C-alpha cells in the first residue's frame, strides 16, 4: 500500500503544478509573451488566461505603463568647439509587447545609445549660446528622431527633456561676469531713466506753476487795473458832480506833486509844463483870498486906484 500512496501523492502534486501552470493571471497594464517549444505563440493580456502546462511557457512579462528613464550626463561638443555635459530624461511607453521582445535585445540600452548619438548630431550644429537657449527646439528634434527609430521596436517616445546643460567652468565664469555686467548696465539705464523722468516731471511742474502764477498775476493786474479805472471813474464822477473851479484843481495838482517825486528810483524829476498854469491859478486864488480878508497890505494898490491916480508927469 505504501507505493500506491506515494504514487497518489506524486500525481496530486503534478496535478497541482499543472493547474498552477495552466492558470495565468496577468495584472492590469501588463502583457506576457507565450512561447510553445521556443516559438512565439500569443500575447497574454490583463486578466485570467489559460495555457497548456509544460508546453507553453511565459517568455517575458512587460509593463505597458509609461516609463521614465534618466540617462547619465553625456559630453557633447558644440559648433564652436566647446564641450558641454547634458543630462537627458526619456518618457517612453511599450505599445507592442511582441516587437519589444523580439525586435531588439534591450530596448532601454538601445534608446540610450540612440539618444546620445542623436543629441551629438543636434548639438554639433549649434553654438553654445543657442544650445543654452533652445531647449524646446532640441527636445522636439530629439523626440522626433527617437520616436521614428523606436516605432519598429514597439516603443513610443512620449517626451524628451534636457535636465541639465553644464558648460565648462571657465565658460560659466565668463557667463556670470557677462550677466553681472548686463545687470549693472540695466540698473544704470533704469536709474538714468528714473532721473530723466523725474527731471521731466519737475520741469513740467515748474512750467505749470509758472503758467498758473502768470495767469494769476495777469488776472490780478486786470482786476487791479479795473479797480483803478473804477476808482478814477468814481473820482471823476464825484469831481464832475461837485463842479470844482480852476483854482481848486490847481491846488489839488500841487498837493499831488510830492507824491509824484516819492521813491528811490526817481533820480530825475521833470517838472510838468502844467505847473506854471497851476501856480498862476493858485496865485490868483491867494490874491482873491487876501482881497476878501480886509485892507490891502503895504505896497499893494488896487487896480482901480492905480487907474484913477493922475500921472506926476
Amino acid at each position: 500500500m505504501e507505493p500506491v500512496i506515494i504514487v497518489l501523492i506524486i500525481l496530486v502534486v503534478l496535478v497541482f503544478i499543472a493547474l498552477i501552470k495552466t492558470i495565468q493571471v496577468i495584472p492590469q497594464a501588463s502583457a506576457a509573451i507565450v512561447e510553445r517549444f521556443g516559438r512565439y505563440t500569443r500575447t497574454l493580456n490583463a486578466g485570467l488566461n489559460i495555457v497548456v502546462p509544460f508546453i507553453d511557457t511565459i517568455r517575458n512579462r512587460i509593463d505597458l505603463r509609461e516609463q521614465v528613464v534618466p540617462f547619465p550626463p553625456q559630453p557633447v561638443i558644440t559648433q564652436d568647439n566647446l564641450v558641454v555635459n547634458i543630462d537627458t530624461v526619456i518618457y517612453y511607453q511599450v505599445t507592442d509587447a511582441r516587437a519589444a521582445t523580439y525586435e531588439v535585445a534591450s530596448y532601454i540600452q538601445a534608446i540610450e545609445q540612440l539618444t546620445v548619438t542623436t543629441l551629438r548630431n543636434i548639438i554639433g550644429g549649434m553654438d553654445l549660446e543657442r544650445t543654452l537657449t533652445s531647449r524646446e527646439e532640441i527636445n522636439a528634434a530629439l523626440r522626433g528622431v527617437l520616436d521614428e527609430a523606436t516605432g519598429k521596436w514597439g516603443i513610443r517616445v512620449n517626451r524628451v527633456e534636457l535636465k541639465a546643460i553644464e558648460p565648462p567652468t571657465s565658460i560659466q565664469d565668463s557667463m556670470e561676469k557677462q550677466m553681472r555686467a548686463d545687470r549693472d548696465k540695466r540698473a544704470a539705464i533704469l536709474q538714468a531713466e528714473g532721473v530723466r523722468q523725474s527731471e521731466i516731471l519737475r520741469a513740467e511742474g515748474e512750467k505749470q506753476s509758472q503758467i498758473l502764477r502768470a495767469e494769476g498775476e495777469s488776472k490780478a493786474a486786470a482786476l487791479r487795473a479795473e479797480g483803478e479805472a473804477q476808482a478814477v471813474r468814481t473820482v471823476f464822477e464825484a469831481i464832475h458832480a461837485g463842479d470844482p473851479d480852476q483854482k481848486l484843481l490847481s491846488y489839488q495838482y500841487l498837493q499831488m506833486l510830492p507824491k509824484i517825486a516819492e521813491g528811490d528810483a526817481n533820480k530825475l524829476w521833470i517838472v510838468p509844463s502844467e505847473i506854471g498854469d497851476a501856480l498862476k491859478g493858485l496865485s490868483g486864488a491867494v490874491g482873491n483870498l487876501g482881497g476878501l480878508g480886509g485892507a490891502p497890505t503895504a505896497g499893494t494898490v488896487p487896480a482901480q486906484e492905480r487907474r484913477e491916480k493922475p500921472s506926476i508927469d
Side-chain angles (χ1 to χ4, degrees):
M1 294 296 294
E2 292 181 359
V4 175
I5 295 174
I6 295 174
V7 171
L8 290 175
I9 293 173
I10 293 173
L11 289 176
V12 171
V13 172
L14 290 176
V15 170
F16 182 74
I17 294 174
L19 289 175
I20 293 176
K21 288 184 174 293
T22 300
I23 300 173
Q24 297 289 332
V25 178
I26 306 301
Q28 183 66 32
S30 298
I33 301 299
V34 178
E35 292 181 350
R36 179 170 295 176
F37 300 114
R39 185 175 181 178
Y40 171 77
T41 302
R42 59 189 174 128
T43 301
L44 301 181
N45 296 321
L48 182 64
N49 297 273
I50 298 175
V51 298
V52 179
F54 305 107
I55 296 176
D56 295 340
T57 57
I58 303 298
R59 166 68 185 273
N60 192 12
R61 296 178 183 268
I62 298 177
D63 193 345
L64 300 180
R65 295 174 297 179
E66 186 174 8
Q67 305 293 323
V68 181
V69 179
F71 295 145
Q74 299 293 331
V76 181
I77 301 176
T78 61
Q79 188 178 12
D80 47 357
N81 296 324
L82 294 175
V83 179
V84 294
N85 294 322
I86 300 179
D87 296 349
T88 55
V89 179
I90 304 296
Y91 297 81
Y92 73 93
Q93 186 176 10
V94 178
T95 58
D96 188 352
R98 179 182 178 278
T101 303
Y102 296 105
E103 295 296 333
V104 62
S106 175
Y107 54 83
I108 297 296
Q109 185 178 2
I111 292 175
E112 181 180 2
Q113 296 302 320
L114 184 60
T115 301
V116 172
T117 56
T118 305
L119 192 61
R120 288 176 179 175
N121 291 333
I122 296 173
I123 300 300
M126 298 181 177
D127 55 8
L128 179 60
E129 184 176 359
R130 185 181 174 188
T131 301
L132 296 174
T133 58
S134 303
R135 291 198 177 193
E136 293 296 332
E137 181 181 353
I138 297 172
N139 293 338
L142 189 58
R143 179 185 176 279
V145 174
L146 290 177
D147 196 25
E148 182 180 359
T150 58
K152 63 180 181 179
W153 301 340
I155 307 294
R156 182 177 67 241
V157 177
N158 296 328
R159 190 167 51 183
V160 179
E161 295 290 341
L162 299 183
K163 188 167 62 175
I165 301 177
E166 298 179 358
T169 306
S170 59
I171 301 299
Q172 290 182 5
D173 295 338
S174 300
M175 292 173 61
E176 290 178 358
K177 292 179 181 178
Q178 183 178 1
M179 292 175 61
R180 191 179 300 110
D182 291 339
R183 286 194 297 267
D184 294 341
K185 178 182 177 181
R186 288 196 297 269
I189 292 174
L190 291 176
Q191 185 177 1
E193 287 291 336
V195 173
R196 175 175 173 270
Q197 190 67 22
S198 65
E199 292 294 335
I200 292 174
L201 293 176
R202 188 181 297 109
E204 290 180 354
E206 293 178 356
K207 175 183 176 182
Q208 191 68 22
S209 65
Q210 291 177 1
I211 292 174
L212 294 175
R213 191 181 300 110
E215 291 179 355
E217 292 177 355
S218 175
K219 290 181 180 179
L223 293 175
R224 192 180 303 110
E226 184 178 354
E228 292 177 355
Q230 184 66 28
V232 171
R233 192 180 300 112
T234 302
V235 172
F236 178 77
E237 290 176 356
I239 294 173
H240 188 270
D243 193 16
D245 56 359
Q246 183 65 30
K247 300 173 183 179
L248 178 60
L249 294 177
S250 299
Y251 179 71
Q252 292 292 331
Y253 185 78
L254 290 176
Q255 284 184 339
M256 292 300 297
L257 287 179
K259 295 183 178 180
I260 296 175
E262 290 179 355
D264 297 335
N266 296 329
K267 302 299 182 181
L268 180 63
W269 184 39
I270 300 175
V271 179
S273 60
E274 292 83 355
I275 194 171
D277 297 335
L279 293 175
K280 185 185 297 183
L282 184 61
S283 62
V286 172
N288 292 332
L289 290 174
L292 293 175
T297 57
T300 303
V301 180
Q304 185 177 2
E305 291 180 1
R306 285 199 306 268
R307 286 194 301 269
E308 293 177 357
K309 185 178 181 180
S311 176
I312 298 176
D313 296 336

